[in-house]
Amino acid sequence: MTETNEEYEVTQMPIWSAGEEWCGVTASMQLIGKKWHPVIISRLLKHGTLRFNQLQDEIGDITNKVLSDSLEDLQQKNLVARTVVNEKPVRVEYELTEQGKSLKPVIEALHKWGTTHVQPVTNDEDTLTQ
Amino acid sequence: MTETNEEYEVTQMPIWSAGEEWCGVTASMQLIGKKWHPVIISRLLKHGTLRFNQLQDEIGDITNKVLSDSLEDLQQKNLVARTVVNEKPVRVEYELTEQGKSLKPVIEALHKWGTTHVQPVTNDEDTLTQ
DNA sequence: AAACTTAGTTTCGTTACGAAACGCTAAAGT
DNA sequence: ACTTTAGCGTTTCGTAACGAAACTAAGTTT
């Protein structure tokens, strides 16, 4: 097909091109700036290792496709590792790499802000009490 | 725009519905989980007040449309305030609300992680143009 | 054989993001 | 009087990300 395994293609995209001032926030966003990445990482931080369906249950509202796509992206960015355990039925485990674990302070900051500055609306859709 | 408006209506979208376990990370993501939001907020944290073009220059790679859309979303979420100063030519200023300023620890965590765990690539791999 | 489990993939529709061009107001240059 | 410049966007159109729902595939249990 392709001469030199173009599938892999080291998609370490150019984080920042010349001239522009490089910024840590921008850099972080290139790696975890997708909708579900921080949530997935938070669950793996909490549980260490999770299987596909466990992860999905923990998150709650994510579809198969989006979880699958997100995990693929996270692997490709070396934040998550995927292991196939040969049992029957086959078991697939996801866990954070060291790089992924290093995101702990970021996730903690997100968690803290979310819990202290966003109130969960306790639903029933008519409580406009704040 | 400050008076009651049926179009406005939602005020605070349902962050989480009943049975699901609510999580601070998910909540945060609902508010700042867009590609450019953290970067925009970081610039406003740094400079206090910025005009449209200043903000665009500070960020570097964002288009008019996306910056405009993002700012609109941030206003709607009460993280950014927009002020029109009636000069000639008209001046429009953006700054963080108190709620927006409270994101400082989150942005700092992102900044720190980005600067310590992502290296700026300096365009190796193909050094043809630069 | 039918149903279930795990771990996804396929299809298709909607929303977010991007590039480039254009619009508007008003001053300033020629 | 025109053209250019500056500020602050909007319009148009194309691609990528996200989502809902159905489906696949290997093996297991009923």
Side-chain angles (χ1 to χ4, degrees):
Chain A
M1 272 184 198
T2 55
E3 52 249 44
T4 54
N5 193 359
E6 224 140 347
E7 293 245 300
Y8 191 83
E9 195 196 323
V10 183
T11 326
Q12 194 72 291
M13 60 251 128
I15 295 284
W16 215 244
S17 21
E20 299 301 339
E21 55 180 323
W22 184 85
C23 159
V25 179
T26 308
S28 293
M29 282 299 111
Q30 301 256 0
L31 295 186
I32 58 166
K34 294 301 181 75
K35 181 162 184 180
W36 293 101
H37 286 195
V39 184
I40 292 169
I41 292 164
S42 80
R43 295 309 189 275
L44 293 175
L45 271 171
K46 189 174 178 187
H47 295 94
T49 293
L50 286 172
R51 295 153 68 175
F52 190 88
N53 287 335
Q54 288 178 323
L55 203 37
Q56 191 168 21
D57 291 346
E58 285 292 328
I59 294 171
D61 249 3
I62 195 171
T63 65
N64 298 346
K65 177 180 183 299
V66 176
L67 180 54
S68 181
D69 290 353
S70 301
L71 285 170
E72 217 174 287
D73 188 54
L74 286 166
Q75 287 168 68
Q76 191 254 311
K77 282 165 177 158
N78 195 36
L79 296 173
V80 163
R82 178 183 187 268
T83 312
V84 179
V85 180
N86 214 331
E87 286 182 351
K88 349 225 137 144
V90 81
R91 197 153 51 92
V92 180
E93 296 183 336
Y94 294 92
E95 61 188 326
L96 294 173
T97 61
E98 286 308 310
Q99 184 79 184
K101 286 176 191 161
S102 72
L103 278 160
K104 194 174 175 200
V106 174
I107 303 301
E108 282 173 348
L110 283 168
H111 180 82
K112 179 170 278 184
W113 189 80
T115 48
T116 62
H117 292 270
V118 185
Q119 64 282 60
V121 170
T122 44
N123 197 13
D124 286 344
E125 82 184 8
D126 49 26
T127 48
L128 279 179
T129 48
Q130 1 73 14
Chain B
M1 192 174 274
T2 45
E3 60 267 297
T4 57
N5 182 349
E6 0 282 289
E7 284 247 307
Y8 193 82
E9 167 204 344
V10 55
T11 51
Q12 204 74 315
M13 61 253 126
I15 295 283
W16 215 243
S17 23
E20 299 301 339
E21 55 180 323
W22 184 84
C23 158
V25 180
T26 307
S28 294
M29 282 298 110
Q30 301 256 3
L31 295 186
I32 59 166
K34 296 298 181 76
K35 181 161 183 181
W36 293 101
H37 287 195
V39 184
I40 291 169
I41 292 164
S42 80
R43 296 310 190 274
L44 293 174
L45 272 172
K46 188 175 177 186
H47 294 94
T49 294
L50 286 172
R51 296 152 67 175
F52 190 88
N53 287 334
Q54 288 178 323
L55 202 37
Q56 191 167 24
D57 290 347
E58 285 292 327
I59 294 171
D61 250 3
I62 195 172
T63 65
N64 298 345
K65 176 177 184 303
V66 176
L67 179 54
S68 181
D69 290 353
S70 302
L71 285 169
E72 216 175 287
D73 189 54
L74 286 166
Q75 288 168 67
Q76 191 254 310
K77 282 164 177 160
N78 194 35
L79 296 173
V80 163
R82 179 182 188 269
T83 313
V84 179
V85 180
N86 213 331
E87 284 182 352
K88 41 179 94 165
V90 81
R91 197 153 50 93
V92 180
E93 295 183 336
Y94 295 93
E95 62 187 326
L96 294 173
T97 61
E98 285 309 308
Q99 183 83 344
K101 286 177 192 161
S102 73
L103 278 160
K104 194 174 175 202
V106 174
I107 302 300
E108 282 173 349
L110 283 168
H111 180 82
K112 179 172 278 185
W113 189 80
T115 48
T116 62
H117 292 271
V118 185
Q119 69 283 48
V121 165
T122 57
N123 263 357
D124 53 341
E125 170 70 28
D126 58 354
T127 38
L128 26 101
T129 42
Q130 276 99 14

